[in-house]
Amino acid sequence: MTRPSHIQVNLQALRNNYQWACELAPQSKTMAIIKADAYGHGAVACARALDDLAPAYGVACIEEALQLRQAGINKPILLLEGIFTDDEIATAAEQDLWMMVEDPWQVDAIVNAKLQQPVQVWTKMDTGMHRLGLAPFRLPELLAKLQASPNVCNGIVMASHFACADELSNDFTRQQIALFHSHLPSPDMPFSLANSAAIMAWPESHGHWNRAGFMLYGNTPLDAEHDSNLGLTPVMSLNSSVISLRQVAVGEAVGYGQLWKAQRPSIIATVAMGYADGYPRHASTGTPVLINGQRAPIIGRVSMDMITIDVTDLSGVCLGSPVCFWGHDLNANEVASHIGTIGYELITRMGQRLPKIYV
């Protein structure tokens, strides 16, 4: 017997979502972003599933890239946050890792490194998000250093990142696009602006490279209905089953802190899932789940290993009944809206305890 909680990952849905990103921007190359363990889906398995489709992958750091290399993934991999220490440059060169350069110290570190072969460099322009990126006025000087260095391959790519592309009515995205192009050193320079939201809703941002992340996993990043949402299929289903059923009388409480009390004779299902699995502890009473495909609300406090659900109004619930916390028929974004977070956080926070089943 094994604990019934698990993550199911539909790799065909992942491939379909990647192909949808390509269809939305047919003139661009689409990089598959598989940082944070492929947003909780398993980076190695997802990279293998996309290996005949994606020309390159993007990760946050060199540790994530080396995990892929050790698993036999040989496609180019972009380090989206660049290097953190000088000694990572030689490793990046040896492993064919592309480096994002977003700070002047990284420019100097690459130029002064002793390398056996040059590295592929992307440079990030700060167009208003103000997290990472080179100030536009410094670009000519810093690009000249990189282009003159034998440590740098020809064909530097200029990139930036959007702050509000998911907000369809926010004009700041257009302002960022305009600022970017006004400081692009040459109109022929390869560039990358579009994240998932921009691939889907801002075609004017499509460049030589686009970076598809959240959309690959089947959830829309957009804050409103849009035609491009229709091509996405959720990749992850978070599943478990009922491990206990009990009748609770009026006035009786359920769970830690007695946060929920029965207002009527109730039937409560206990399910093997909790915050140690990655399900948010602050999910409140009323957050929806599916039991036997029927909607029901979480009640009381999410505990470390268990969640309680009011199934009084459901039929056919018994020990072992399947429970889905999000997936094809209950979108992670909808669940996140009840919890006060976003779908990105839900799918990336899954704990190591949950086995992944790939289909």
Side-chain angles (χ1 to χ4, degrees):
M1 297 292 291
T2 57
R3 189 167 181 261
S5 312
H6 66 278
I7 294 168
Q8 182 172 291
V9 179
N10 186 330
L11 295 175
Q12 186 58 53
L14 175 73
R15 289 172 60 84
N16 293 346
N17 294 333
Y18 177 84
Q19 290 170 316
W20 179 237
C22 295
E23 288 180 34
L24 291 173
Q27 304 305 314
S28 304
K29 294 180 182 179
T30 300
M31 176 178 289
I33 304 303
I34 54 174
K35 63 181 181 176
D37 198 30
Y39 290 57
H41 294 70
V44 170
C46 290
R48 287 173 175 162
L50 294 173
D51 211 38
D52 64 326
L53 298 175
Y57 299 111
V59 299
C61 57
I62 202 164
E63 292 85 357
E64 293 180 339
L66 293 178
Q67 178 194 27
L68 296 173
R69 286 287 184 259
Q70 290 159 8
I73 304 300
N74 297 316
K75 291 282 179 71
I77 302 172
L78 173 63
L79 305 178
L80 291 163
E81 295 179 20
I83 55 167
F84 298 98
T85 57
D86 294 3
D87 60 348
E88 292 183 340
I89 299 171
T91 302
E94 292 165 4
Q95 298 291 330
D96 189 26
L97 307 179
W98 299 354
M99 287 184 289
M100 187 75 78
V101 173
E102 60 82 21
D103 192 275
W105 81 263
Q106 294 173 330
V107 174
D108 293 334
I110 292 170
V111 168
N112 295 326
K114 300 188 186 314
L115 302 178
Q116 298 300 313
Q117 59 275 328
V119 292
Q120 179 66 55
V121 166
W122 288 37
T123 50
K124 175 170 280 189
M125 184 194 309
D126 183 0
T127 55
M129 193 168 185
H130 301 317
R131 293 189 316 182
L132 301 176
L134 303 169
F137 75 90
R138 294 209 60 186
L139 283 172
E141 163 208 350
L142 297 172
L143 272 178
K145 280 187 178 182
L146 291 169
Q147 290 167 336
S149 172
N151 285 343
V152 178
C153 295
N154 292 329
I156 294 173
V157 178
M158 183 67 70
S160 192
H161 195 51
F162 292 125
C164 306
D166 56 319
E167 301 173 12
L168 299 186
S169 61
N170 193 328
D171 195 56
F172 189 61
T173 299
R174 287 194 178 88
Q175 296 175 38
Q176 286 190 268
I177 294 170
L179 178 63
F180 180 86
H181 284 291
S182 70
H183 287 88
L184 196 63
S186 163
D188 299 325
M189 186 175 190
F191 70 89
S192 176
L193 277 172
N195 56 4
S196 288
I199 291 170
M200 295 174 66
W202 303 89
E204 62 269 42
S205 73
H206 297 172
H208 300 80
W209 285 94
N210 295 335
R211 309 183 304 275
F214 188 57
M215 70 178 298
L216 292 185
Y217 308 102
N219 300 295
T220 179
L222 304 178
D223 68 350
E225 292 299 319
H226 193 276
D227 288 347
S228 62
N229 293 343
L230 301 176
L232 300 177
T233 302
V235 176
M236 175 190 289
S237 294
L238 179 62
N239 303 313
S240 189
S241 63
V242 175
I243 61 172
S244 183
L245 282 166
R246 65 201 57 248
Q247 295 184 350
V248 176
V250 174
E252 292 293 313
V254 175
Y256 288 120
Q258 297 187 306
L259 296 184
W260 183 89
K261 291 185 178 181
Q263 303 299 308
R264 59 177 177 168
S266 301
I267 303 173
I268 305 304
T270 301
V271 180
M273 181 65 65
Y275 61 77
D277 300 302
Y279 195 89
R281 182 178 180 273
H282 60 280
S284 60
T285 292
T287 302
V289 302
L290 296 177
I291 299 184
N292 290 337
Q294 306 169 84
R295 284 187 174 235
I298 287 174
I299 61 163
R301 181 172 287 165
V302 174
S303 55
M304 185 180 292
D305 310 300
M306 290 174 281
I307 288 174
T308 46
I309 299 168
D310 184 356
V311 297
T312 309
D313 296 325
L314 273 56
S315 61
V317 177
C318 59
L319 295 182
S321 288
V323 181
C324 178
F325 289 89
W326 58 74
H328 188 276
D329 296 315
L330 179 59
N331 194 278
N333 287 343
E334 180 186 350
V335 177
S337 70
H338 285 268
I339 300 175
T341 184
I342 56 176
Y344 290 78
E345 182 184 2
L346 291 188
I347 65 174
T348 58
R349 66 179 292 154
M350 292 295 93
Q352 294 301 308
R353 180 163 73 176
L354 292 180
K356 293 183 178 69
I357 299 173
Y358 293 95
V359 299

